[in-house]
Amino acid sequence: MRKWQNLTVMSITPPVALFDTLAHWQDTKINSLHAQDHQYAKDFIYSYRGSKATFSAYRREIERFLQWAWHIANTSIKNVKRSDIENFIDFCQHPPESWIAKKNVARFTNHQGQRQAASAWRPFVIRPNVEHYQLSEKALRAVFAVLGSFYNYLIQEDYIAYNPVSQIRQKSRYFRKKQSKTVIRRLTELQWSYVIETAELMAAQDPEKHERTLFIMNALFGMYLRISELAANENWQPQMGDFKRDLDGHWWFTTVGKGNKERDISVSDAMLSALKRYRKSLGLAPSPTLGESTPLITTLNHKGAITSTRHIRLIVQHCFDQTCERLRQDGFTEETEQLQAATVHWIRHTGISEDVKHRPREHVRDDAGHSSSLITDKYIDIEKRARHASAKKKVIKPID
């Protein structure tokens, strides 16, 4: 029996959110029972405000850890030992159902002019159509990395004397050693053809609303964009003027991605056509002008840029849902079930996987913003397909 499973029902009552968005960061109220823990954690998380994605990741991991320390271990982060970190890792791999949500929910909402913790929020979220929560190996590595960094910060601030995470000598026991390459989650050719066709049908039926949907799908696939590269934030406001033509007449798109790194993405003829169609629906000239400040992805009332990745995620999810209905009607049951588990990021993976079949991997690497060709190599299936083809007609019983 896990250590937390013999606790009373009251002790695993879902906790309330601790940290708000950056826009309301100063509104975050410090927990009076653990004021020092809370303040140090708040300052640590805020130090990562330069990257919205990193800030969100660190907020998520630190918030889970504080909730566990206060409500499950009944201790301060000052008193956490190596064994406690191990217990926390076990807890993250098998959290109680009362701490798991079936969908993403905002931590706080506005209520009568005040920020109020959302009652439906939970520290953990389970993907749709997944029966049991399971922490992926990538997520598990993130827990170790964030907590290790957090405790190093606390040492520097003279809040603690040692790092309990660094005292875990055999972290490798938590990770599986894999012979094969990591499986890249992506859409099949059939699924993608249905998805983009669905977006086209939606745009034809309701252009005012869904020409935007179609462009988003094209940009995610055709330029391998991350969802954070489409939404405006403090560090990056994607604009039409970020599409530029060089002296050779070639089009490029400039974006700021992971790690606040700027990169230029080559724009294909098909992507350029998609851009022109989208601009026409907005009443703009076919091609962007130099320095044009029109937001790339606007709200439906065209009063400004979309600033929420969640907003874009909902747009894509609606297209996925409509696609699932079409696949189901056409009898593709298995493909429908797979697509129901897909996320926005799968489209980026799908675009990279398709292009790496035909383009030099170095070109795909630079357009995708990969730090190394080794990352791009994960998308190459040619060797795996050849290996399977050579094994397909192996015999087990000798032929007479």
Side-chain angles (χ1 to χ4, degrees):
M1 179 177 288
R2 299 183 183 92
K3 291 178 174 60
W4 54 264
Q5 287 185 321
N6 60 357
L7 299 173
T8 64
V9 174
M10 182 61 71
S11 65
I12 56 174
T13 298
V16 298
L18 299 174
F19 302 106
D20 209 330
T21 61
L22 268 175
H24 296 280
W25 194 247
Q26 301 307 320
D27 298 335
T28 298
K29 296 179 180 179
I30 300 299
N31 184 298
S32 59
L33 294 177
H34 303 277
Q36 283 189 307
D37 282 6
H38 202 156
Q39 186 63 60
Y40 276 108
K42 182 182 177 183
D43 293 343
F44 173 72
I45 298 168
Y46 190 64
S47 69
Y48 289 93
R49 63 191 180 278
S51 168
K52 190 173 183 179
T54 305
F55 168 84
S56 297
Y58 274 63
R59 179 181 59 174
R60 178 184 64 244
E61 301 303 342
I62 296 302
E63 187 160 34
R64 286 176 178 173
F65 180 60
L66 292 185
Q67 303 283 16
W68 172 84
W70 298 347
H71 301 294
I72 304 300
N74 295 315
T75 190
S76 163
I77 58 175
K78 289 185 69 173
N79 303 321
V80 167
K81 299 178 175 60
R82 174 191 56 77
S83 58
D84 294 316
I85 296 294
E86 292 174 337
N87 290 338
F88 173 65
I89 296 298
D90 181 61
F91 179 85
C92 287
Q93 290 173 314
H94 307 281
E97 290 185 8
S98 59
W99 284 44
I100 304 172
K102 296 292 179 67
K103 63 179 181 179
N104 285 306
V105 176
R107 287 171 166 76
F108 291 82
T109 58
N110 290 316
H111 181 70
Q112 297 180 349
Q114 299 292 324
R115 297 293 285 177
Q116 180 174 293
S119 60
W121 177 83
R122 298 290 184 272
F124 300 88
V125 179
I126 193 169
R127 288 188 292 122
N129 304 305
V130 176
E131 188 175 351
H132 301 292
Y133 181 87
Q134 184 176 12
L135 200 66
S136 68
E137 183 170 316
K138 182 179 178 181
L140 191 56
R141 291 183 185 277
V143 174
F144 277 112
V146 173
L147 290 185
S149 180
F150 181 44
Y151 270 96
N152 283 335
Y153 168 83
L154 295 177
I155 291 173
Q156 293 168 1
E157 295 295 315
D158 293 325
Y159 191 53
I160 58 168
Y162 65 93
N163 188 335
V165 181
S166 65
Q167 293 185 329
I168 301 177
R169 299 302 179 190
Q170 292 183 316
K171 297 184 182 70
S172 59
R173 73 177 184 270
Y174 293 101
F175 310 116
R176 297 174 183 170
K177 293 182 179 180
K178 298 181 180 179
Q179 178 184 359
S180 304
K181 295 186 299 183
T182 303
V183 175
I184 300 297
R185 296 186 179 277
R186 56 194 167 205
L187 307 180
T188 65
E189 291 182 14
L190 175 68
Q191 288 167 335
W192 172 245
S193 66
Y194 264 77
V195 166
I196 195 63
E197 187 177 66
T198 299
E200 291 170 345
L201 290 171
M202 291 166 63
Q205 293 168 0
D206 189 350
E208 186 174 347
K209 183 176 182 180
H210 290 303
E211 283 291 343
R212 182 183 64 178
T213 300
L214 177 58
F215 178 74
I216 288 173
M217 306 305 280
N218 279 314
L220 291 169
F221 181 91
M223 297 191 295
Y224 327 140
L225 294 185
R226 300 178 179 91
I227 190 171
S228 59
E229 294 168 351
L230 284 174
N233 57 63
E234 290 181 352
N235 297 319
W236 176 239
Q237 294 82 41
Q239 301 173 345
M240 289 292 182
D242 295 320
F243 282 94
K244 303 181 184 73
R245 183 165 50 188
D246 64 18
L247 296 177
D248 295 320
H250 301 143
W251 282 89
W252 300 84
F253 178 70
T254 301
T255 188
V256 173
K258 230 174 169 182
N260 209 26
K261 294 179 181 177
E262 183 177 298
R263 75 180 188 278
D264 290 329
I265 303 170
S266 54
V267 178
S268 66
D269 292 343
M271 188 64 231
L272 187 59
S273 295
L275 173 65
K276 290 179 177 179
R277 171 173 174 164
Y278 176 52
R279 287 178 59 83
K280 181 180 179 181
S281 73
L282 296 173
L284 301 172
S287 299
T289 57
L290 187 63
E292 183 178 344
S293 60
T294 306
L296 187 63
I297 308 295
T298 65
T299 56
L300 285 180
N301 59 15
H302 306 298
K303 290 187 176 180
I306 287 181
T307 59
S308 167
T309 54
R310 184 170 179 268
H311 190 166
I312 295 176
R313 189 174 288 110
L314 290 173
I315 292 172
V316 174
Q317 188 59 55
H318 179 62
C319 185
F320 279 174
D321 292 342
Q322 297 299 308
T323 303
C324 285
E325 186 59 34
R326 293 182 62 231
L327 282 167
R328 190 179 295 108
Q329 290 176 357
D330 290 348
F332 294 109
T333 304
E334 184 177 347
E335 286 79 3
T336 300
E337 292 175 352
Q338 292 171 349
L339 184 57
Q340 287 175 330
T343 67
V344 177
H345 208 60
W346 287 30
I347 304 179
R348 168 179 158 86
H349 288 328
T350 305
I352 295 172
S353 299
E354 287 302 310
D355 278 7
V356 83
K357 297 176 185 176
H358 315 292
R359 301 180 63 198
R361 68 173 182 170
E362 293 81 6
H363 296 177
V364 176
R365 175 199 64 198
D366 293 344
D367 278 349
H370 289 157
S371 58
S372 166
S373 293
L374 293 176
I375 299 175
T376 313
D377 285 348
K378 294 178 181 179
Y379 294 83
I380 300 175
D381 285 336
I382 298 173
E383 293 178 2
K384 195 172 180 181
R385 288 170 177 164
R387 179 152 58 97
H388 190 277
S390 70
K392 189 173 182 64
K393 295 186 178 180
K394 288 194 304 182
V395 297
I396 294 176
K397 183 180 180 180
I399 300 175
D400 294 333

